[in-house]
Amino acid sequence: MTKTTATMPINYTYNTEKRSAHYLIEGETTYKNGGEFAEVVCKAIRGFKPEKDANTKFDMGSDIEETSTSIKSNGCGLTDEKLADNKEDFLKIYFERVHSTNVDYVIIMDNIVNIYNMSMNEFKDFTNEFARWDTYSKKVRIKTTLKMINWFEERVA
């Protein structure tokens, strides 16, 4: 696992009056939710065009195709596709089918961005530890916690 720390590379405004998409990036007209914002920020830091991909299916492509990287952040799901009716089967099917070979987990705190890059084996360990089953949506969700940040820090190479 590796860690990249950077200062926020883009200008944006945060609007609490927007229902679920609070982030407006300077020069754009549509608001982004937290995951979309994290993806744009991560791509900017990694040197790629800072844009949200077109919701490529998890088993057909990656958020950063050039590096086969999936980008995840607080509140994320692994896919919107309903793969199973329980966490264990969902994760099994996900890891059998996922296109990406590595994952960037993005944590934004104030003006600092930390990106933890994991291999799929590391991400599998990560999901076993931190993914929770959402019975309503029938999918896996991940929330950033202090325990998670400590887990990352213990594993950074």
Side-chain angles (χ1 to χ4, degrees):
M1 181 178 311
T2 61
K3 176 183 177 183
T4 301
T5 300
T7 303
M8 177 58 67
I10 59 177
N11 294 320
Y12 69 96
T13 55
Y14 184 84
N15 185 344
T16 57
E17 294 177 12
K18 293 292 182 176
R19 185 162 181 257
S20 62
H22 302 293
Y23 300 89
L24 182 61
I25 296 171
E26 187 176 274
E28 295 190 8
T29 57
T30 57
Y31 282 81
K32 300 202 174 346
N33 67 29
E36 294 166 335
F37 181 68
E39 181 178 328
V40 170
V41 169
C42 183
K43 287 178 176 177
I45 290 168
R46 295 282 192 221
F48 297 99
K49 187 174 182 179
E51 64 184 4
K52 168 74 178 90
D53 82 302
N55 291 329
T56 303
K57 287 182 49 134
F58 80 102
D59 55 355
M60 301 293 285
S62 300
D63 295 317
I64 304 176
E65 200 59 50
E66 296 86 345
T67 58
S68 295
T69 304
S70 177
I71 301 172
K72 301 295 180 194
S73 61
N74 183 46
C76 72
L78 299 185
T79 176
D80 285 333
E81 197 172 320
K82 298 205 181 345
L83 302 179
D85 61 0
N86 63 74
K87 176 185 168 183
E88 293 74 21
D89 291 340
F90 188 100
L91 290 174
K92 180 180 183 294
I93 294 166
Y94 175 83
F95 283 108
E96 287 171 352
R97 292 176 45 192
V98 67
H99 173 82
S100 298
T101 60
N102 66 100
V103 175
D104 276 347
Y105 193 90
V106 180
I107 300 174
I108 301 170
M109 292 186 287
D110 298 321
N111 206 30
I112 301 299
V113 182
N114 288 312
I115 304 170
Y116 297 91
N117 180 266
M118 298 172 265
S119 68
M120 273 303 155
N121 285 334
E122 290 168 322
F123 189 59
K124 192 178 288 187
D125 291 343
F126 171 82
T127 57
N128 286 332
E129 183 73 24
F130 297 104
R132 300 290 172 251
W133 183 249
D134 181 338
T135 54
Y136 177 75
S137 66
K138 300 276 193 237
K139 58 184 171 183
V140 166
R141 289 252 177 236
I142 301 169
K143 295 274 188 190
T144 304
T145 64
L146 182 57
K147 179 181 176 186
M148 177 192 294
I149 294 169
N150 290 335
W151 188 90
F152 283 140
E153 291 299 323
E154 289 170 1
R155 287 161 179 76
V156 170

